[in-house]
Amino acid sequence: GKKNQDQPLWVSEVATEILALAKVFGQPVDCEWAITKTGATEKFFAVVILQVRPITAIGGSSSNIIETEVEHVFHFWHGGIAPLWSRELAARSYLQYGFGGIPQPHLIKDAYLFVKAGSLDMKGYLSNTDHLQAKHVARDIAACDDGLRKILETAKAVAAQQREFYAIYSSIDATKLDNKELWCHFWDMCLHFLKNYQYYIFSESFLADPLTDELLGEATIDEGIILQPTKADLFQVAASSFRELFRQNADVTDRDILDHAKRFPFVAYNCFSESQVIENLRDAAHSLPPHTEGGEFHDQFENLLEKQEVVYSKRPDLRIPSKLVQDLSLSRMSIKNGWTGSHFYLIPVFEEIVSRTNVNLEDLNGYYLLGDIHDLLLSGKIVSNRDKLDREKGVLFRPPSITTTAVRLEAPKEVDLGFSSEGSPHLYVGANAQKLFSAMPQVKYTGLQGTVASPGTVTGRARIIGTNDGNKYKIDESQDILVCYMAQPQQYSMIQKCKGIVTEEGGILSHAAIVARELGITCVVGVQGAMATIKDGSTITVVAEGPNKGSILLVD
């Protein structure tokens, strides 16, 4: 209806929050709320959700009412290793609206993000509520004219700024900065991380898979060939460039390798020194496949286009939505380069912090939160041994207990890096983190089951691959099946030679899925418990076709 000019501004914010919650539950909700003034001058306000529950009985027709609540359980989301400060950035991007002055397009409502400091081992679990919400968001995007296209255009514009940002950032000599300037320099990279990370979420399996289903329906399964991009993504371009580097040069220098990492910084993810970058990439180079003459991608994509045209001739309605899905797949790697690439360009920054503070590099990445790095540089405060021992037991990020909607978002001069302010995530450390994480209600799985990314059925020897394992095994293509959390760039040479792939995270647009379809390798993704259940060297069968497709069978 017509807007009432006397209506307080907070009324529309309350309505927006309640409608969003109704979408999460998939039905009308009974909600108790309040508003509170925020900011130093208390000129702004926030909506505070006190309690919410689904309405299970309404007078009249109840055909649209679901009478059972969403089960409050959590699915495995992702795992691997990451520096503690980097994990905090990701957690705040997922959970804290407007952190760093960046209004995220999608916010996670309920998740457990757990890290064991020191070892950097991390795991993330996502709630049923978020999975349901993602389906509603996917439906809304698919139903909106140019909804996904506009998201992709914005993400492309963000990715296009990466090269210039990295060039300017690396031109600044960290040794010439005072401590406050060094902190600001570090924080500039954090903001770059956040600007890119906010769009990565659209390619994550919990949102990308239902979005693909909404756009393509059953064709997602029946005509998987149309999911495959018809041009190389950044992952493939980097791999091709790396092969060419070693083909043209009999003696590839360390400087050559670092120049390659400078062009494609995502290849140095989780590398914290130049020597580690060089070592990892040289390891990967040892198992490069032989070079093939002619255009590396030309024939491959010509054949792919021909196969896709066969599908489109029967289903012309799939042409436009499938191209959008392909663009989403390509966007994933481009955006990822913007946040994983931060590790490479922060190497000289962290080296300078180490030289000034005598805190070693392992501790800086393994035990320090963002606020700790700030305090280390500006106040000389170090993380105590007692705190380090506590963090080794666990660091847990959980969503804020209240939902806030900022009226105006401005990057603050001094960003709030605490965990007690309104709208910030909850932080639990040590025994409390362990206790809460152990008590998390998980989805009960009766077996190893995932999503088919590339069809086929294969039996072979399981090879467990860690996040940073670039050339762990000499792969035997006649029998080896890779099992990992997710495919990483440094594992590409192993992937090319394996018989099958099983990943614990990821969806049909993940790197493992794309590469497997490209190479014709049987692949199942999103297999909960694969890394913990499957033993290295054991015999497994990957079933990616027929009535039991998506199953992983333990033969011995």
Side-chain angles (χ1 to χ4, degrees), residues 71-379:
E71 187 181 7
H72 192 240
V73 292
F74 292 80
H75 303 252
F76 178 80
W77 180 9
H78 52 230
I81 61 174
L84 187 56
W85 60 265
S86 178
R87 189 55 173 159
E88 181 188 346
L89 272 176
R92 289 188 185 271
S93 180
Y94 285 132
L95 306 174
Q96 184 175 351
Y97 185 76
F99 180 67
I102 298 171
Q104 301 91 329
H106 181 76
L107 207 63
I108 298 300
K109 298 292 184 182
D110 200 3
Y112 283 77
L113 303 173
F114 185 78
V115 189
K116 279 197 170 182
S119 68
L120 306 183
D121 180 57
M122 68 166 188
K123 291 182 179 178
Y125 286 80
L126 198 63
S127 70
N128 260 359
T129 299
D130 277 293
H131 278 277
L132 178 59
Q133 182 194 30
K135 290 181 180 179
H136 286 290
V137 171
R139 191 174 304 158
D140 289 344
I141 293 173
C144 176
D145 290 340
D146 287 337
L148 180 56
R149 191 184 306 280
K150 289 176 181 177
I151 292 171
L152 292 173
E153 286 175 353
T154 307
K156 185 177 180 179
V158 170
Q161 299 170 11
Q162 291 170 8
R163 185 180 294 273
E164 181 181 5
F165 173 84
Y166 286 140
I168 294 172
Y169 194 87
S170 59
S171 70
I172 298 173
D173 185 352
T175 65
K176 305 297 184 183
L177 304 176
D178 63 31
N179 280 15
K180 186 173 182 180
E181 291 171 334
L182 189 59
W183 160 254
C184 291
H185 189 47
F186 168 71
W187 182 244
D188 282 343
M189 182 60 78
C190 292
L191 289 177
H192 174 77
F193 179 113
L194 292 167
K195 288 174 183 175
N196 284 270
Y197 204 80
Q198 63 175 326
Y199 290 102
Y200 187 71
I201 197 169
F202 289 102
S203 69
E204 294 204 58
S205 59
F206 76 94
L207 189 50
D209 285 3
L211 181 54
T212 303
D213 288 342
E214 287 290 334
L215 290 168
L216 300 178
E218 289 300 316
T220 302
I221 299 172
D222 300 333
E223 306 291 357
I225 194 73
I226 63 176
L227 298 178
Q228 197 71 13
T230 54
K231 58 183 178 181
D233 69 5
L234 201 60
F235 186 102
Q236 295 166 306
V237 172
S240 176
S241 174
F242 195 53
R243 285 194 293 271
E244 190 67 11
L245 172 65
F246 278 84
R247 187 184 76 85
Q248 292 184 347
N249 298 277
D251 183 21
V252 175
T253 67
D254 290 350
R255 185 70 261 165
D256 292 332
I257 290 178
L258 291 174
D259 284 344
H260 174 77
K262 191 173 182 179
R263 284 184 63 202
F264 307 103
F266 69 87
V267 302
Y269 181 52
N270 280 330
C271 291
F272 309 121
S273 66
E274 288 189 349
S275 61
Q276 190 180 3
V277 175
I278 293 165
E279 180 183 356
N280 282 9
L281 292 182
R282 284 202 182 279
D283 279 348
H286 290 155
S287 55
L288 284 174
H291 176 76
T292 55
E293 295 298 330
E296 181 167 359
F297 299 118
H298 181 268
D299 292 342
Q300 169 195 327
F301 292 130
E302 281 294 313
N303 293 334
L304 179 59
L305 281 166
E306 289 177 7
K307 292 177 181 178
Q308 290 182 354
E309 284 301 324
V310 172
V311 177
Y312 298 144
S313 67
K314 300 174 184 176
R315 292 287 307 276
D317 58 303
L318 296 178
R319 185 183 296 273
I320 292 176
S322 69
K323 293 300 181 184
L324 285 172
V325 172
Q326 291 174 28
D327 286 346
L328 177 60
S329 178
L330 292 169
S331 171
R332 176 183 174 88
M333 195 64 242
S334 298
I335 285 294
K336 189 173 184 179
N337 190 55
W339 58 272
T340 56
S342 64
H343 291 191
F344 177 74
Y345 283 98
L346 281 173
I347 288 173
V349 177
F350 275 36
E351 286 177 346
E352 184 60 23
I353 294 175
V354 167
S355 71
R356 295 185 191 189
T357 63
N358 292 321
V359 172
N360 65 54
L361 193 59
E362 291 74 19
D363 280 4
L364 196 58
N365 282 295
Y367 296 99
Y368 278 66
L369 294 161
L370 295 171
D372 298 322
I373 296 175
H374 175 275
D375 293 347
L376 176 66
L377 284 171
L378 273 63
S379 307

Side-chain angles (χ1 to χ4, degrees), residues 491-507:
Q491 298 161 356
Y492 192 71
S493 57
M494 287 191 290
I495 292 171
Q496 286 183 305
K497 297 177 180 179
C498 73
K499 187 177 185 180
I501 304 170
V502 176
T503 71
E504 186 151 346
E505 62 178 281

